[in-house]
Amino acid sequence: MTPPSIVILTGAGISAESGLSTFRDPDGLWQRVRIEDVATPEAFARDPAHVHAFYNARRTQLADVQPNAAHLALMRLEREWPGAFLLVTQNVDDLHDRAGSLPLHMHGELRRVRCLACGARHGWAADLSISTPCPSCAVSRLRPDIVWFGEMPMGMDRIEAALDGCGLFLSIGTSGNVYPAAGFVEDAAQAHKVELNLEPSAGSELFDEAHHGPATQVVPAFVDRLLREWA
Ligand code: BV8
């Protein structure tokens, strides 16, 4: 029997046990700053230094955290799965990448910047300011290469094509509040849909199966079971 193609969507919950804040939990980022002040193109146009400070702090924090057992379990699944596989993440951290996965960062990446003058994209680990020159054109109009609210997420054609034919859709560590990611469970109409999350998400009734608990427990357990079934 042909192994089903797998599409996985992850959110901030998969990085929580590595020490990175989620957004909508009681101690989440959006409880401390307003989306309108730091995560929209209008915010960046209005006060770029404030937006740079918000992302600089999060980019700096990446040096203090490590991938956890959930990231590593998904890397193992990506390597050992005999069928098609796509890992899509809403996260802008680099923990999937450092675990050895090849994620599609649909909301961009903290460790990349984009030049508003020449369009060049660069890997970036340091702070960014309004006077940082672009390595390609030397103009100082760099922004975080992150998808803000009101901007088109990245890789949507590839994601929609993968969802269209997938047999298994896994949603991990996301509250299901932000679109278009929150709609993927409905786009994967024909798939077996599984939610692995600390608690039921906003769209939990759309799933066929759910395992609730910390990602470092429920994700490795699910991956072990899946690989045993198909080994
Ligand atoms: C677009 C980058 C159109 C920034 C982000 C009204 C209705 C529907 C939609 C809209 C609407 N009004 C506006 C919209 C559209 C809007 C949207 O959906 N808004 C929401 C708030 C209603 N969406 C957009 O604007 C998107 N773009 O629509 O463009 C368009 C069309 C054509 C042409 C141009 C444009 C763009 C959205 C992307 C915004 N950028 N991130 C940054 O990171 O700074 S989204 C932001 O939310 C975060 O990045 C995050 O990725 C995303 C989702 O959050 P989660 O990952 O789910 O995190 P959250 O804290 O919410 O949940 C964590 C979960 O983990 C919880 O369930 C918790 O229980 C669980 N958990 C916690 N600990 C653990 C755990 N699970 C397991 N183990 C644990 N230990």
Side-chain angles (χ1 to χ4, degrees):
M1 201 167 128
T2 310
S5 63
I6 299 180
V7 176
I8 298 177
L9 173 69
T10 64
I14 200 169
S15 298
E17 289 163 271
S18 293
L20 291 181
S21 295
T22 63
F23 293 91
R24 295 168 185 83
D25 285 329
D27 61 343
L29 280 170
W30 299 151
Q31 312 309 325
R32 285 178 253 154
V33 291
R34 288 172 1 109
I35 287 174
E36 298 76 8
D37 294 340
V38 293
T40 64
E42 295 77 14
F44 188 67
R46 186 171 59 245
D47 188 350
H50 182 60
V51 173
H52 280 315
F54 174 65
Y55 286 101
N56 287 344
R58 290 171 66 194
R59 190 180 303 108
T60 303
Q61 192 187 9
L62 293 180
D64 305 329
V65 296
Q66 298 296 330
N68 62 51
H71 296 105
L72 295 170
L74 294 187
M75 176 275 289
R76 178 176 164 230
L77 180 58
E78 185 166 356
R79 288 196 177 154
E80 297 180 17
W81 187 246
F85 178 98
L86 177 64
L87 171 61
V88 181
T89 187
Q90 299 174 89
N91 299 341
V92 294
D93 66 57
D94 61 348
L95 294 179
H96 281 304
D97 311 76
R98 285 161 57 196
S101 289
L102 295 171
L104 192 163
H105 283 277
M106 67 177 288
H107 291 163
E109 299 174 67
L110 275 172
R111 283 191 161 174
R112 290 179 66 77
V113 297
R114 175 156 52 90
C115 178
L116 291 173
C118 72
R121 282 181 158 93
H122 297 280
W124 202 270
D127 280 357
L128 205 48
S129 81
I130 54 176
S131 55
T132 310
C134 167
S136 299
C137 73
V139 173
S140 297
R141 291 194 64 211
L142 292 170
R143 63 164 276 182
D145 193 18
I146 281 188
V147 176
W148 285 322
F149 287 91
E151 295 185 323
M152 178 55 90
M154 300 178 187
M156 288 303 295
D157 292 345
R158 187 170 164 219
I159 296 167
E160 281 158 4
L163 287 168
D164 193 27
C166 75
L168 176 61
F169 175 70
L170 274 184
S171 177
I172 303 172
T174 181
S175 64
N177 281 298
V178 174
Y179 289 82
F184 291 170
V185 60
E186 293 172 285
D187 298 336
Q190 76 298 327
H192 180 64
K193 303 177 260 302
V194 181
E195 175 169 86
L196 304 178
N197 206 53
L198 190 62
E199 58 201 10
S201 70
S204 58
E205 74 283 353
L206 299 169
F207 289 87
D208 305 305
E209 180 182 350
H211 301 276
H212 295 136
T216 56
Q217 292 171 27
V218 298
V219 177
F222 188 84
V223 168
D224 288 348
R225 196 188 89 196
L226 191 61
L227 289 173
R228 267 200 309 277
E229 274 171 25
W230 284 95

